[in-house]
Amino acid sequence: MLVYECDGFVIEKNCPDVVVFPRTAQQVAAIVQLGNEYDVPVLPRGAGTSLAGGCLPVGGGIMVVLTRMKRIVEINLRDRYAVVEPGVVNIWLTKALAGAGFHYAPDPSSQGACTIGGNLATNSGGPHTLKYGVTVNHVLGLEAVLADGSIVEIGGPAEDSPGLDLTGVMVGSEGTLAIATKIWVRITRDPQGYRTLLGIFESVDDATNAISAIIGAGIVPAALEMMDQGILVALEEAFQFGFPLDAQAILLIEVDGLEAGLDAQRDQIIELCQRSGAREVRQARDAAERQKLWKCRKQAFGAVGRLSPSYCTQDGVVPRTKLPHMLRRIYQIGEKHDIKVVNVFHAGDGNLHPILLFDERDAAQVKRVLKASEEILDECIACGGSVTGEHGIGVEKIEFMSKLFAPEDLEVMERLRLAFNPAGRLSPHKMLPTAGACGMEQHHPGRRAAV
Ligand SMILES: Cc1cc2nc3c(=O)[nH]c(=O)nc-3n(C[C@H](O)[C@H](O)[C@H](O)COP(=O)(O)OP(=O)(O)OC[C@H]3O[C@@H](n4cnc5c(N)ncnc54)[C@H](O)[C@@H]3O)c2cc1C
């Protein structure tokens, strides 16, 4: 049961009462009905890689782990969609499409582990979100079990279903409206070519200014990622790529599309980086080197394990031109609270992921991490941004909802939740500060225990 007491957000923990592993939508429906009969919470879980405590069973109850629903039901290349069960791991779909000239575009850095059901529930992004969009742009419809145990279909293989966009409502609802049991997703044609660049910078300011310069010049790279020196050290130890360890920051920039025009875009990006103070801009020499670069980027969080026993990954978003300021503030806030922070993030989207390094066994450090996280996210709001670029609210950021939204806005969201989940038994204490009609106070027993 200990495996299920938390997800990637390790600060709060609480065991579910029961963990079940359904294989069909009918079984999920029967479990939800049992939850209703015995008046206990029901909480869906995919791979448990949520970094915001989305899978934390705050009030105990039944945890529905969907990883045994892992079939790719259909791939339809002519109509460009696939039908998957929610437990299909993101990368499996792209692997199944390899050689056919297609892939599944949303590619969270956790794509080797996270499920498409979890991606749908959190509206996941990833390095290629900058050009290709987040999960909601790639979901055509779903089959879902509602809070009363009924099974419904919303949307489907065709584009633009008539009526309200209920598919859009479901994506990003973090399991609070329904449990997805089957998903129709768009599949995307592979680009004809790529140019993958590594910009090396002496200062974080120069790197973050280069980001605005590239986007400001009208170029939309497929991906534009930044890694600071702290993370480079861990990556170099793990993968021996040959990253320059004295550089303060690197940008990983990729353009893709038709071969014609890619070289011109590459040259323009190199020039813009140089004008912003890049020491050097390298191009991946071949497909193998490109793949290795992406492996380093996507496994960067894993490499953090070399730096500290625990880490807390924050997820804020700011207008891109505020990135130089935000990065400076992040380092200052880390210093103020004596918490080392390293950064690897989807810079092109203005989506920051400061990683706060700590030891969860030391209550004083946990307190300082929570305080530093709060200050970082407050600063994102002050810059005109938000407290989640892609990881969702979960339990971690629930208190920020009242900072972001007026009470009337929150009430509208609560009424929507009540329409789908009237008793509040489905994923209680998640996402919205009020606890629904179940009457339980919003509480954080696990967080209190940690500090
Ligand atoms: C190393 C690392 C890198 C990451 N990189 C990224 C990134 O680049 N971009 C990004 O967006 N995220 C990233 N994440 C966060 C996380 O991987 C994503 O949020 C992912 O979508 C979660 O998928 P999961 O299967 O692990 O879902 P879980 O963690 O199991 O669940 C997440 C939420 O979805 C709900 N849920 C799960 N399945 C269903 C379902 N079938 N129906 C309804 N609700 C459901 C859960 O209740 C929970 O609220 C990263 C995480 C890690 C650990």
Side-chain angles (χ1 to χ4, degrees), residues 134 145 260 278 347-348 382:
V134 282
V145 173

Side-chain angles (χ1 to χ4, degrees), residues 419-436:
F420 282 94
N421 183 12
R425 248 177 241 117
L426 211 52
S427 301
H429 311 295
K430 299 286 152 62
M431 220 182 156
L432 294 177
T434 49

Side-chain angles (χ1 to χ4, degrees), residues 44 46-50 54-55 66 109-110 115 119 121-122 124-125 180 346 390-391:
T49 64
S50 164
C55 301
L66 294 142
S109 306
S110 53
T115 66
N119 296 167
T122 52
S124 282
H346 309 314
E390 54 181 12
H391 296 167

Side-chain angles (χ1 to χ4, degrees), residues 7-8 43-51 53-55 64 66 86-87 107-111 113-127 173-176 178-181 183 297-298 300-302 311 346 351 353 389-392 394 427 430:
D7 48 29
L43 175 66
R45 174 174 163 128
T49 64
S50 164
L51 293 165
C55 301
V64 186
L66 294 142
D107 63 336
S109 306
S110 53
Q111 71 179 150
C114 64
T115 66
I116 294 183
N119 296 167
L120 173 135
T122 52
N123 193 15
S124 282
S173 61
E174 300 188 29
T176 62
I179 302 179
T181 48
I183 308 164
R297 165 59 188 96
K298 293 205 169 175
F301 289 87
Y311 64 86
H346 309 314
N351 184 188
H353 290 318
E390 54 181 12
H391 296 167
S427 301
K430 299 286 152 62

Side-chain angles (χ1 to χ4, degrees), residues 122-413:
T122 52
N123 193 15
S124 282
H128 290 86
T129 290
L130 182 58
K131 178 167 173 185
Y132 292 97
V134 282
T135 299
V136 73
N137 305 114
H138 300 272
V139 173
L140 291 161
L142 64 152
E143 173 195 83
V145 173
L146 299 180
D148 65 359
S150 56
I151 302 174
V152 295
E153 268 186 25
I154 301 166
E159 300 280 340
D160 290 333
S161 306
L164 290 177
D165 179 13
L166 291 180
T167 305
V169 170
M170 289 295 162
V171 178
S173 61
E174 300 188 29
T176 62
L177 304 183
I179 302 179
T181 48
K182 206 192 301 177
I183 308 164
W184 282 264
V185 293
R186 277 197 181 89
I187 51 181
T188 303
R189 243 227 176 285
D190 292 344
Q192 211 177 61
Y194 304 92
R195 300 290 181 274
T196 309
L197 304 169
L198 193 64
I200 299 164
F201 293 83
E202 304 287 359
S203 84
V204 172
D205 258 19
D206 288 348
T208 45
N209 280 321
I211 296 160
S212 297
I214 294 167
I215 307 280
I219 302 170
V220 184
L224 208 181
E225 303 282 299
M226 193 184 125
M227 300 186 242
D228 74 5
Q229 193 191 29
I231 198 92
L232 282 180
V233 170
L235 278 177
E236 193 51 29
E237 244 185 57
F239 299 107
Q240 295 87 43
F241 181 82
F243 290 120
L245 294 182
D246 60 334
Q248 290 303 306
I250 62 160
L251 293 181
L252 174 55
I253 312 161
E254 183 159 277
V255 283
D256 70 6
L258 292 175
E259 271 295 334
L262 283 183
D263 284 342
Q265 280 191 53
R266 175 202 56 201
D267 294 346
Q268 203 185 346
I269 290 172
I270 293 175
E271 198 196 320
L272 289 163
C273 285
Q274 283 166 344
R275 262 201 259 152
S276 301
R279 170 167 102 193
E280 188 189 343
V281 186
R282 298 181 194 161
Q283 182 180 335
R285 280 167 296 201
D286 49 32
E289 199 168 79
R290 171 178 179 262
Q291 260 164 23
K292 188 155 188 199
L293 261 176
W294 277 115
K295 185 174 173 198
C296 292
R297 165 59 188 96
K298 293 205 169 175
Q299 301 204 351
F301 289 87
V304 172
R306 294 171 177 268
L307 301 176
S308 67
S310 327
Y311 64 86
C312 173
T313 307
Q314 268 313 331
D315 169 41
V317 64
V318 293
R320 276 178 294 260
T321 50
K322 303 280 187 204
L323 283 174
H325 164 79
M326 261 317 294
L327 265 291
R328 282 196 293 273
R329 284 293 295 136
I330 288 168
Y331 294 124
Q332 280 165 6
I333 292 168
E335 266 169 40
K336 175 176 152 196
H337 295 286
D338 194 19
I339 294 290
K340 182 160 190 217
V341 186
V342 296
N343 287 280
V344 45
F345 58 99
H346 309 314
D349 299 309
N351 184 188
L352 293 150
H353 290 318
I355 304 174
L356 293 84
L357 309 178
F358 70 109
D359 184 340
E360 66 182 282
R361 294 163 296 190
D362 178 346
Q365 284 191 48
V366 176
K367 256 188 197 165
R368 297 206 303 274
V369 164
L370 288 171
K371 191 73 195 116
S373 298
E374 188 185 339
E375 287 180 22
I376 290 171
L377 294 176
D378 279 343
E379 192 72 30
C380 289
I381 297 176
C383 286
S386 167
V387 300
T388 172
E390 54 181 12
H391 296 167
I393 298 295
V395 293
E396 184 199 9
K397 293 182 208 154
I398 215 157
E399 281 136 28
F400 284 92
M401 292 295 273
S402 311
K403 295 185 185 180
L404 278 174
F405 294 101
E408 307 83 65
D409 299 327
L410 289 172
E411 199 196 317
V412 172
M413 293 185 222

